[in-house]
Amino acid sequence: MSSTVQGEIEAKHIGECEPGLSPLVIGGRTIASRLIVGTGKYSNYETMGTALDASGADVVTVAVRRERLVNERGESLLDHIDLSRYMILPNTAGCFSADDAVRVSLLGRDLLEQLGNAGASWVKLEVLGDKKTLLPDPAATIEATKRLVAEGFDVLAYSSDDPIASLRIKEAGAMSVMPAGSPIGSGMGVLNANNIALCLELLKENDADYPVIVDAGVGAASDVSRAMELGADGVLLNTAIAHAKQPIMMAHAMRKACQSGRQSYLAGRIPRRKYATASSPFDGVISHIPGE
Amino acid sequence: MTVILNGTPTDLPDGATVHELLELNELAARPCAVEVNRALVPKRSHEAHILCDGDAIEVVTLVGGG
């Protein structure tokens, strides 16, 4: 069976049988998959291409870096990404000031305009505070958000899981705030679920459709489900697939975990209780129950 | 004249444009973006923008990232 036919069958199956899997909407862009994946750290482009496909992602992130000059050139990322299939989300990774983040955003937009890709007008804003932790600098992120919005960008801003910092970034004009589950590439998952829940509550207050994406820290599929079960609108990850022992299998797992977590959130979990509640009735038991 | 291209001093013919710089480096047909002295020179201005001695030029492209 060709992959296209298989894809159509899966799409039909999801459409008819899988309730709740509505697309993610960010600033007028409708994105079928709520999982956004990065393109970094893969051992080779062939594995990356297959993993992107398996993840089901419609949006993939890329970085802006110096072109290797003649004689140093090898394969290009752009030779391995189907630009008609994926919307490219350029990032400002590696920037430690608002000035540099604005420069990189402008360069990325110029590149994506040349490629005719729909991702040209948005940017994944990262303004980092420290190379060791790669944690975001909230003040510089707010400043860069304001300047990029003034330049006409749709800003998806990487944030810490601090609810107030996240709220201030929204107020600065970010189209989406993306709190970190844990430090980039750490694989520790959602370290402070209460903070993520508070971020969601504050960012969505009187604005239920405001998109909040948990970005960074995912180590395994259960971390994606956890973030989605908390009510995140999407998850962005890279290393957890790229550095898995079997990246393509992990990409499949991440796709399903994102869908499962979304459905689990929408379906509404039962409350946590201290004591058990029996699933089988006690009425009619033939056994002796201790203490009765 | 000498410019700083991606951090490296590089000789260029006097009066070279951004487009000519890219052609000399076999980059004109590839997707790349250029800034000169920390200011973007958009693709549509590559042929018109004349470089000066001492200009700091960054030529960038898209690479894998998260």
Side-chain angles (χ1 to χ4, degrees), chain A residues 10-258:
Chain A
E10 282 182 12
K12 192 178 174 191
H13 173 74
I14 289 166
E16 289 179 356
C17 308
E18 294 280 356
L21 296 182
S22 59
L24 171 62
V25 179
I26 304 178
R29 295 176 185 80
T30 301
I31 303 156
S33 172
R34 291 172 178 270
L35 184 66
I36 299 174
V37 296
T39 56
K41 295 182 167 180
Y42 282 93
S43 56
N44 60 71
Y45 285 127
E46 187 183 358
T47 302
M48 180 198 76
T50 310
L52 296 186
D53 180 45
S55 76
D58 301 296
V59 177
V60 299
T61 61
V62 300
V64 174
R65 288 294 180 273
R66 281 177 169 164
E67 177 64 270
R68 291 163 296 176
L69 299 174
V70 72
N71 297 333
E72 300 172 31
R73 199 169 299 142
E75 286 184 293
S76 165
L77 172 76
L78 295 170
D79 298 332
H80 296 271
I81 292 183
D82 180 353
L83 293 168
S84 65
R85 171 174 176 180
Y86 296 109
M87 196 183 300
I88 308 295
L89 175 56
N91 70 28
T92 65
C95 289
F96 291 82
S97 69
D99 279 349
D100 283 345
V102 171
R103 288 171 63 205
V104 169
S105 300
L106 291 168
L107 288 162
R109 178 164 70 181
D110 193 64
L111 271 160
L112 286 171
E113 282 174 350
Q114 292 174 38
L115 297 169
N117 191 268
S121 60
W122 66 0
V123 64
K124 179 194 166 188
L125 175 66
E126 288 181 37
V127 192
L128 306 173
D130 166 69
K131 192 177 177 188
K132 186 173 172 183
T133 64
L134 299 180
L135 289 171
D137 179 327
T141 301
I142 289 166
E143 184 195 339
T145 298
K146 288 178 181 169
R147 288 168 57 182
L148 288 169
V149 169
E151 290 277 359
F153 282 91
D154 294 341
V155 177
L156 286 67
Y158 173 60
S159 170
S160 71
D161 65 1
D162 183 294
I164 302 302
S166 295
L167 185 61
R168 295 291 178 260
I169 293 166
K170 179 188 176 186
E171 290 167 351
M175 190 152 281
S176 173
V177 175
M178 307 199 292
S182 53
I184 293 170
S186 70
M188 288 194 287
V190 177
L191 273 185
N192 191 338
N194 192 56
N195 263 23
I196 296 292
L198 289 173
C199 285
L200 287 161
E201 188 174 326
L202 266 63
L203 292 166
K204 287 174 172 290
E205 191 172 2
N206 301 320
D207 192 6
D209 293 333
Y210 187 80
V212 179
I213 296 167
V214 169
D215 174 8
V218 166
S222 52
D223 300 330
V224 175
S225 292
R226 179 83 173 113
M228 295 303 289
E229 283 181 332
L230 290 167
D233 296 283
V235 171
L236 196 163
L237 63 88
N238 187 153
T239 310
I241 294 177
H243 278 188
K245 285 180 183 165
Q246 296 193 44
I248 295 161
M249 194 187 300
M250 188 61 90
H252 281 280
M254 295 301 188
R255 175 176 59 82
K256 289 184 278 193
C258 188

Side-chain angles (χ1 to χ4, degrees), chain B residues 5-65:
Chain B
L5 176 60
N6 285 3
T8 304
T10 305
D11 289 329
L12 272 189
D14 285 351
T17 64
V18 167
H19 182 70
E20 286 161 355
L21 166 76
L22 296 178
E23 280 192 326
L24 285 168
N25 285 279
E26 297 176 17
L27 289 167
R30 296 165 62 89
C32 53
V34 179
E35 73 171 19
V36 176
N37 301 328
R38 300 171 68 88
L40 174 74
V41 179
K43 173 76 173 177
R44 63 180 177 277
S45 304
H46 284 187
E47 292 197 25
H49 189 106
I50 296 168
L51 296 164
C52 299
D53 188 54
D55 275 349
I57 303 157
E58 296 287 353
V59 179
V60 300
T61 190
L62 299 175
V63 303

